[in-house]
Amino acid sequence: ARRSRPHPGRVVMQHLLSTADLSREEATLVLDTAEEMARLTDRPIKKLPTLRGRTVVNLFFEASTRTRLSFETAMHRLGGDVVGFASAGTSSTAKGESLEDTIRTVDQYADLIAMRHPEIGSAVRAAAVAEAVATRAESRPASARRARRTQAIQSSGSPAAAARGTASRLVPPAL
């Protein structure tokens, strides 16, 4: 469900569900951008206006601390806003709403949807109906566990590394 959009000097795509979706050139650009973002950790004020006015909706249908906080920290450090939920019990899916309907609803609020869901293929299902950029914060197939989600880019669980790694793939399409 990935559709690249042209934008001079940076990787802009509709969805990033796996690091395998990246070409060698795109992966290199993501890593180069992350390296540039590393300078953020040396600043006394660790916030940039890069994503000011943008919103990430974190949908965590299963428990997570490090992954959820890494996405939230990265978005805050890049000047964006974060909304969402950290438990499936607080979602309308607990009342029987389909994943696709949930995505359509939150899509109205989001520039980016970061989702962690226990069902295999859930990220692809979400990306199929989302207009916002969708990324997989976790899915349960063995290949995803080996790849360490799309967090493979981050190289560390620290908030600073989260800001470096996540920032490169949260740049929404040009509006």
Side-chain angles (χ1 to χ4, degrees):
R2 188 191 115 189
R3 297 183 302 272
S4 292
R5 294 182 181 176
H7 194 280
R10 68 177 186 193
V11 175
V12 180
M13 58 187 61
Q14 182 62 32
H15 305 296
L16 177 58
L17 305 180
S18 168
T19 53
D21 289 344
L22 297 172
S23 70
R24 183 180 187 90
E25 178 182 273
E26 290 169 328
T28 299
L29 184 55
V30 166
L31 293 171
D32 288 348
T33 302
E35 194 172 301
E36 289 175 31
M37 297 298 295
R39 293 186 192 103
L40 175 67
T41 61
D42 296 331
R43 295 170 43 137
I45 298 174
K46 298 179 183 346
K47 277 196 148 191
L48 297 174
T50 309
L51 297 178
R52 185 181 303 147
R54 304 296 176 103
T55 302
V56 64
V57 176
N58 282 340
L59 304 179
F60 282 75
F61 290 91
E62 60 182 4
S64 170
T65 300
R66 184 180 57 231
T67 304
R68 183 178 54 84
L69 292 177
S70 71
F71 275 85
E72 288 179 17
T73 300
M75 193 63 172
H76 286 296
R77 287 193 175 177
L78 292 169
D81 298 308
V82 179
V83 296
F85 56 82
S87 167
T90 61
S91 162
S92 289
T93 59
K95 300 185 298 185
E97 180 177 81
S98 72
L99 174 64
E100 288 81 359
D101 284 343
T102 297
I103 297 300
R104 285 183 191 100
T105 299
V106 302
D107 197 41
Q108 303 306 307
Y109 309 104
D111 295 294
L112 176 108
I113 299 169
M115 186 178 79
R116 180 174 178 159
H117 197 285
E119 292 178 18
I120 294 172
S122 59
V124 173
R125 289 173 44 212
V129 298
E131 291 293 321
V133 176
T135 190
R136 181 180 71 195
E138 173 73 348
S139 195
R140 282 297 182 194
S143 61
R145 287 193 302 266
R146 284 193 303 272
R148 293 288 299 158
R149 305 173 286 280
T150 51
Q151 279 187 318
I153 297 169
Q154 291 179 2
S155 79
S156 169
S158 72
R164 288 192 308 266
T166 307
S168 298
R169 61 184 187 286
L170 294 190
V171 177
L175 298 178

